[in-house]
Amino acid sequence: MKTINRRHFLKASAIAGAGLALAPKLSFAQGTQSNNKPVLLGGRKPSYNFSRWPIYDQTEEKALLEVLHSNKWGRLNGSITTKFEAEYAKIHGTAHSLAVSSGTSALYTMFGALNVGPGDEVILPVYTFVASYNVVVLNYALPILIDTDIETFQIDTKKMEQAITPQTKLLMPVHIGGSPADIDTILAIGRKHNLPVIEDACQAHLAEWKGKKVGSFGLGGAFSFQSSKNLNCAEGGAITSNSKEFIDRCYSFHNQGQGGTGTSYEMGSGVRGTNLRITEFQAGLLLAQMSRLEQQARKRSENAAYLTRLFNEIPGITPAKLYRGTTNSAYHLYMFRYDQSKFAGLSRDRFIEALSAEGIPCSRGYGQMNSSDYVRGLASNKHYLKIYGEKTMKEWLERNQCPQNDKLTKEQSLWFTQTMLLGERSDMDKIAEAVRRIQKFAKELKK
């Protein structure tokens, strides 16, 4: 698949002054130069101040008070959730949206609507948050973990098709970090094998593929409003879809198998349901937070593109690439790779320590989920042994080998979170300058 660097896709856009005032600020000490020593070697510690996240003002306060005084706090007798769903569908260009209690609930609800269960296989990336895996095993289906395209951090679609068997129930790509997976290729695989595609877009608010928002391509898309997300209400989620029949089944599943009246069963005999409803308070907060969503998204994109230009000039720092169809990344995460050979053999952990001392939080990101005790333990789970048998579960462990992901996560992967990209452009200069400073003194930092 062809990929492009982040710097080639950004469209120039201006941010209103009010939006700039709301953005978190990164403040570093003035006069920092590349010949100054890093903090770990006795250099001056930069001053910095991350603004709180989430960002809020009287808009959120008013929204919460309106729900409080309405005496209608739940979606079954309130109207705010319905209003939010209409707005959320509108910004994603989908016919329908359903608000639920979390991003995990959004995925779980869609699995319920599709009646995923024992004997089914679900294809998903190994490089993802564990919730993507959990929704599969909660249904006693078999998660088939696919290796990573190391340049993009996304699912490797070449290996995706190879993993399909007669038991495959659906394809579940994840738009990890807020950057779209290779949607065109994935949809083509789904059509070829007559398999539905569910987009895990929990980190990808307003991300775009060829000018269309993610979550609008597959049968359904899942979004998360957990407290770290670009749009959040502490916990919450949503499903987007262009299929009324599918969204109706999702509504019934998340509402105890009943329709909107709470009296008639909609799902049919023997199909499960549960309570995964969102509250009116959460929906009100989300409507308030959405008033800043587009401004913040533009700010992240501008800063990410600029930071990428700076990082491309530093040997050993390689920003994650975007597929050619990407017209916007949500940049929930700014992902990049680290090559210690270009830093005099300075280990990745020591690099993170040095960068953190400079006042720049940095993470290794996700690990080797397929080889974790948590996931490997599924092979000895008594319920799975009863359903699939010992031979199948041993084979499952072998199927989940992901060597490229091992290489990425053991040696190279790093990321910044989305709040780092809500500062000023000068902050991006200072981040890059800190990396150059660490590189210059890498030999001394090793000691």
Side-chain angles (χ1 to χ4, degrees):
M1 258 120 264
K2 294 183 178 180
T3 58
I4 58 172
N5 196 281
R6 296 179 190 268
R7 62 183 173 180
H8 295 306
F9 86 96
L10 182 70
K11 298 176 181 176
S13 56
I15 307 297
L20 291 173
L22 288 167
K25 299 283 192 286
L26 278 169
S27 177
F28 291 78
Q30 297 299 310
T32 301
Q33 300 294 328
S34 59
N35 59 352
N36 289 343
K37 288 187 175 182
V39 172
L40 289 182
L41 295 178
R44 183 174 61 174
K45 182 178 176 61
S47 62
Y48 66 96
N49 180 34
F50 288 105
S51 295
R52 64 185 174 222
W53 181 260
I55 298 164
Y56 64 89
D57 59 20
Q58 295 85 355
T59 311
E60 281 76 11
E61 182 179 3
K62 180 181 177 182
L64 289 172
L65 288 174
E66 284 182 356
V67 174
L68 179 71
H69 295 306
S70 73
N71 287 331
K72 296 178 179 179
W73 298 355
R75 78 157 300 152
L76 295 183
N77 65 345
S79 60
I80 303 299
T81 300
T82 301
K83 180 179 178 182
F84 165 73
E85 289 168 341
E87 290 298 314
Y88 202 67
K90 181 179 179 180
I91 67 170
H92 283 88
T94 58
H96 310 284
S97 171
L98 173 68
V100 293
S101 58
S102 69
T104 306
S105 297
L107 293 170
Y108 189 60
T109 296
M110 288 191 284
F111 276 47
L114 289 169
N115 201 22
V116 175
D120 293 332
E121 294 179 359
V122 177
I123 291 177
L124 69 155
V126 67
Y127 194 78
T128 184
F129 183 56
V130 71
S132 306
Y133 164 88
N134 282 337
V135 295
V136 182
V137 298
L138 280 171
N139 288 277
Y140 294 98
L142 205 59
I144 307 302
L145 301 172
I146 305 302
D147 208 354
T148 307
D149 174 358
I150 203 166
E151 290 192 341
T152 65
F153 289 57
Q154 304 293 334
I155 191 169
D156 187 335
T157 54
K158 295 186 295 293
K159 297 177 180 178
M160 193 176 189
E161 185 166 18
Q162 297 168 6
I164 293 173
T165 72
Q167 286 72 48
T168 303
K169 180 78 170 183
L170 62 91
L171 309 178
M172 189 174 71
V174 180
H175 304 304
I176 205 67
S179 297
D182 187 4
I183 294 178
D184 286 353
T185 300
I186 293 167
L187 292 175
I189 294 171
R191 288 191 297 269
K192 178 179 177 181
H193 297 274
N194 196 29
L195 292 170
V197 174
I198 294 297
E199 298 175 67
D200 183 339
C202 286
Q203 299 179 354
H205 306 283
L206 301 189
E208 292 181 356
W209 181 265
K210 296 183 177 179
K212 290 179 58 179
K213 301 293 192 299
V214 299
S216 66
F217 293 92
L219 179 60
F223 293 85
S224 170
F225 308 132
Q226 181 266 344
S227 57
S228 72
K229 299 302 189 293
N230 300 20
L231 176 65
N232 88 88
C233 60
E235 296 289 351
I239 298 165
T240 54
S241 181
N242 287 309
S243 169
K244 185 177 187 306
E245 188 272 339
F246 181 65
I247 210 75
D248 285 346
R249 292 181 68 82
C250 287
Y251 185 96
S252 293
F253 183 87
H254 104 297
N255 188 39
Q256 303 288 18
Q258 302 182 49
T261 63
T263 57
S264 60
Y265 291 88
E266 300 287 340
M267 295 283 286
S269 175
V271 179
R272 300 156 297 153
T274 188
N275 175 11
L276 299 172
R277 297 187 297 264
I278 201 171
T279 70
E280 291 282 276
F281 289 105
Q282 291 168 294
L285 272 178
L286 289 168
L287 281 169
Q289 290 277 294
M290 281 172 66
S291 66
R292 304 184 189 90
L293 184 61
E294 291 184 350
Q295 287 180 341
Q296 291 170 348
R298 288 194 296 269
K299 188 69 171 177
R300 290 188 194 94
S301 292
E302 289 179 337
N303 278 333
Y306 183 64
L307 183 60
T308 293
R309 291 198 291 273
L310 298 176
F311 273 2
N312 281 336
E313 298 172 355
I314 303 176
I317 300 295
T318 306
K321 291 183 178 180
L322 301 175
Y323 292 110
R324 284 197 179 275
T326 301
T327 45
N328 193 42
S329 169
Y331 289 108
H332 178 64
L333 303 169
Y334 182 91
M335 304 179 293
F336 59 102
R337 290 183 287 145
Y338 173 74
D339 181 355
Q340 70 176 37
S341 71
K342 304 297 184 182
F343 284 75
L346 186 72
S347 72
R348 182 179 58 170
D349 284 348
R350 184 63 169 166
F351 174 81
I352 292 172
E353 183 182 358
L355 200 59
S356 297
E358 299 293 319
I360 303 169
C362 185
S363 170
R364 287 177 295 178
Y366 300 128
Q368 302 87 52
M369 182 167 64
N370 57 315
S371 58
S372 68
D373 291 341
Y374 179 68
V375 170
R376 288 183 64 85
L378 191 70
S380 58
N381 179 280
K382 66 177 183 179
H383 303 295
Y384 271 77
L385 289 172
K386 185 182 295 184
I387 296 166
Y388 298 97
E390 185 175 352
K391 180 176 181 293
T392 296
M393 293 310 296
K394 285 183 177 179
E395 291 173 349
W396 173 76
L397 289 174
E398 292 300 316
R399 292 174 70 185
N400 285 336
Q401 298 301 307
C402 298
Q404 288 300 299
N405 188 70
D406 290 345
K407 181 179 179 180
L408 173 67
T409 57
K410 289 179 180 178
E411 305 171 8
Q412 302 179 11
S413 58
L414 290 170
W415 73 39
F416 300 138
T417 57
Q418 54 96 2
T419 56
M420 297 286 290
L421 298 174
L422 289 176
E424 301 301 327
R425 174 167 287 203
S426 60
D427 296 322
M428 305 302 108
D429 288 314
K430 293 167 187 174
I431 291 171
E433 185 63 31
V435 174
R436 293 190 191 99
R437 191 160 54 249
I438 292 168
Q439 188 171 55
K440 181 173 182 177
F441 290 90
K443 287 183 180 179
E444 293 180 51
L445 286 165
K446 283 176 63 179
K447 299 175 183 178

